[in-house]
Amino acid sequence: MKSIPLTFLKSFLGINGFFITFLVMIFGFEQSVPSGALGGIAAAFLASTLGKWVYTKRFLKKNGISIQDYRYIDKNLKEAKVKIKRLQKAQFQVRSLGAFKQILELNRLARRIYAIVRKEPKKFYQSEQFFFYHLDSVVELSEKYTYLATQPIKNDQVFQSIKDAKRTLHSLEDSLQEDLMSVLSNDIQTLDFELDVARKNKK
């Protein structure tokens, strides 16, 4: 929920709360500068906190989730962000162009699902397979694949392990595509419905 609008709102309210209170205390109540500054700091904190509270209430209402749900979702989003960073790191450790493109696509799909759920937290429950299973598998397998691919020793066993990893990563790419479709399913259904209505109205 720490978005640019929230950060801007907190800063805006905090700065204005400080200066308005400071000026009122200095010129309206003839307080000393230190007293005015302390009052301004207190007002800035209260204004910023109130702004965050109002923003949070509106955000949760808009998304139809409780604060308990959001805390649970936010925890999983933070964990997913760390895993996606690991996937990005693995992407730049591979030496094969084909493997780079493969992990790049996995990375793109993972970041897309993450971004959608971050923006609309209620969609988390449509993508639990991604957060609890598929993302873990993608990250761990990508790291093992890049580790084996960068080893100086290449024998039949290593080559077979690399080949198996590539095949499994391809399968996981299909899984992530299905996860993305699951997250977008309601939007697709809504669009199809609106198109049907538009066609009927046109007739």
Side-chain angles (χ1 to χ4, degrees):
M1 206 184 305
K2 293 181 180 179
S3 60
I4 293 175
L6 176 58
T7 302
F8 174 79
L9 177 64
K10 289 173 63 180
S11 299
F12 176 81
L13 292 174
I15 292 169
N16 280 277
F18 174 84
F19 282 110
I20 291 171
T21 304
F22 177 78
L23 293 173
V24 168
M25 290 187 70
I26 295 296
F27 297 106
F29 296 96
E30 298 181 350
Q31 297 292 312
S32 64
V33 172
S35 296
L38 287 174
I41 291 170
F45 175 78
L46 289 173
S48 178
T49 302
L50 179 61
K52 181 180 179 180
W53 182 80
V54 172
Y55 182 93
T56 301
K57 291 286 286 184
R58 291 184 63 183
F59 180 86
L60 295 176
K61 184 178 180 181
K62 178 183 176 182
N63 284 277
I65 57 175
S66 66
I67 187 64
Q68 291 80 9
D69 284 335
Y70 182 77
R71 286 171 180 162
Y72 171 71
I73 294 168
D74 189 51
K75 174 179 176 291
N76 284 285
L77 282 170
K78 288 176 180 176
E79 292 175 358
K81 187 176 181 180
V82 174
K83 294 171 186 174
I84 291 173
K85 284 183 178 179
R86 286 169 56 190
L87 184 59
Q88 290 174 327
K89 183 179 179 182
Q91 175 189 327
F92 291 103
Q93 289 178 334
V94 295
R95 298 176 182 176
S96 163
L97 180 60
F100 177 84
K101 288 181 177 179
Q102 187 175 32
I103 299 178
L104 174 64
E105 180 62 16
L106 290 165
N107 195 3
R108 186 186 69 82
L109 289 166
R111 286 188 289 110
R112 183 60 182 153
I113 296 168
Y114 172 86
I116 291 171
V117 175
R118 183 171 176 78
K119 185 178 180 181
E120 300 179 67
K122 63 183 176 182
K123 291 189 174 183
F124 172 81
Y125 298 108
Q126 297 170 244
S127 55
E128 289 181 295
Q129 286 284 324
F130 167 76
F131 285 97
F132 295 139
Y133 302 106
H134 297 156
L135 181 58
D136 285 333
S137 297
V138 166
V139 173
E140 290 173 9
L141 194 59
S142 295
E143 289 178 338
K144 289 177 181 177
Y145 171 79
T146 55
Y147 174 76
L148 287 173
T150 54
Q151 295 307 305
I153 299 175
K154 295 290 191 299
N155 55 32
D156 291 342
Q157 186 178 0
V158 171
F159 277 122
Q160 185 60 46
S161 296
I162 291 173
K163 186 177 179 180
D164 291 342
K166 288 181 70 174
R167 187 185 304 113
T168 307
L169 284 172
H170 183 72
S171 175
L172 284 168
E173 183 181 329
D174 293 338
S175 297
L176 261 59
Q177 288 176 347
E178 290 174 5
D179 291 335
L180 180 57
M181 286 300 296
S182 178
V183 171
L184 295 173
S185 59
N186 288 342
D187 298 314
I188 293 170
Q189 290 173 7
T190 301
L191 179 60
D192 288 342
F193 174 77
E194 290 174 352
L195 287 172
D196 288 339
V197 171
R199 291 190 192 101
K200 290 177 182 178
N201 290 337
K202 190 175 180 181
K203 292 179 180 179

